[in-house]
Amino acid sequence: MSRFDELRARMWELEQELELEAERLRAECAQRLADGGERLRSGHKAMRQRLLPYLLGARPAHVLTAPVIYGLIVPLALLDLALTVYQQVCFRAWGIERVRRREFFAFDRHRLGYLNLIEKLNCDYCAYANGLIAYAREVAGRTEQYWCPVRHAARMSAPHRHYRQFVPYGDAEAYRRELPILRRRLRGDRPPPDPGQDGPT
């Protein structure tokens, strides 16, 4: 195994540990909120900023840019629709497991008592926009793995999760050998395999 593959395998293990720890913290937070009961809810409600003072105290830059921010809902919705059509047509044709859209969206912050109506709306809008981009990234990542799973010669900033499996730039033999394997892996909706196991060399 190359040094690159060793580091990739260690990174995979750390990611799994990180996700387990994140899940533990989520459960701990949920339990804390459940145990807090009415006292916690009352405390949150007391910290909510009333709507009128919130609006009157808004910075001019926030007010002026609000139409630009919320105007993005149209291209975002069109992207959402396009991704759905794209998956239904192309992923079905290629035999790729379709991305589960719902796994990329979490709308829960509006339940926080210390947020006012506008803050809740902002939070849900951010959740939709960021969830959609993450969903699009996964669709694009699977597409790239199917058609061109080759690492770039140039340094990539924050590549998608499939990228770590791609074959080295310029390695023609690895490309021809690994392409059918990488395509087969897309038939099941599961995370990429441990890169320490049967990954590209």
Side-chain angles (χ1 to χ4, degrees):
M1 182 186 294
S2 69
R3 174 67 174 160
F4 180 89
D5 286 330
E6 287 177 10
L7 292 171
R8 189 172 55 174
R10 281 169 50 195
M11 185 173 71
W12 176 267
E13 291 170 3
L14 287 172
E15 285 176 354
Q16 304 314 300
E17 287 182 34
L18 184 62
E19 184 51 41
L20 286 173
E21 180 62 14
E23 183 57 39
R24 187 190 68 77
L25 291 173
R26 282 192 290 268
E28 186 180 282
C29 180
Q31 189 60 50
R32 191 165 59 248
L33 289 172
D35 292 344
E38 188 58 38
R39 180 185 57 79
L40 186 62
R41 283 191 291 273
S42 297
H44 281 183
K45 190 174 180 180
M47 296 184 71
R48 183 191 308 158
Q49 189 174 5
R50 292 184 179 278
L51 211 51
L52 188 58
Y54 180 84
L55 291 171
L56 293 176
R59 292 175 53 194
H62 294 175
V63 176
L64 291 172
T65 56
V68 178
I69 295 169
Y70 279 94
L72 285 174
I73 191 64
V74 174
L76 287 172
L78 288 174
L79 174 61
D80 202 347
L81 177 62
L83 288 168
T84 299
V85 173
Y86 175 81
Q87 282 205 96
Q88 292 300 324
V89 174
C90 297
F91 279 21
R92 282 180 184 276
W94 304 334
I96 297 178
E97 183 73 21
R98 291 180 299 284
V99 179
R100 291 193 178 104
R101 180 183 177 279
R102 66 180 176 273
E103 293 180 359
F104 293 85
F105 295 89
F107 298 100
D108 52 10
R109 292 182 288 207
H110 62 271
R111 295 198 294 262
L112 294 169
Y114 52 84
L115 300 178
N116 62 38
L117 184 62
I118 293 178
E119 289 172 321
K120 290 178 179 182
L121 178 64
N122 288 341
C123 280
D124 277 349
Y125 184 66
C126 284
Y128 175 70
N130 283 282
L132 180 62
I133 297 304
Y135 167 56
R137 179 180 170 89
E138 178 63 18
V139 172
R142 292 188 190 188
T143 301
E144 187 176 27
Q145 179 172 327
Y146 188 86
W147 287 109
C148 192
V150 177
R151 292 197 292 272
H152 292 281
R155 183 181 182 278
M156 290 286 292
S157 178
H160 56 74
R161 72 185 183 103
H162 298 272
Y163 188 78
R164 67 170 64 95
Q165 301 179 85
F166 290 5
V167 300
Y169 184 88
D171 191 337
E173 291 182 3
Y175 175 75
R176 291 300 171 200
R177 181 180 67 248
E178 298 295 333
L179 180 61
I181 296 171
L182 291 168
R183 284 184 171 179
R184 282 197 300 272
R185 287 177 182 165
L186 291 168
R187 292 177 184 165
D189 187 16
R190 57 189 183 278
D194 182 337
Q197 305 295 322
D198 77 346
T201 56

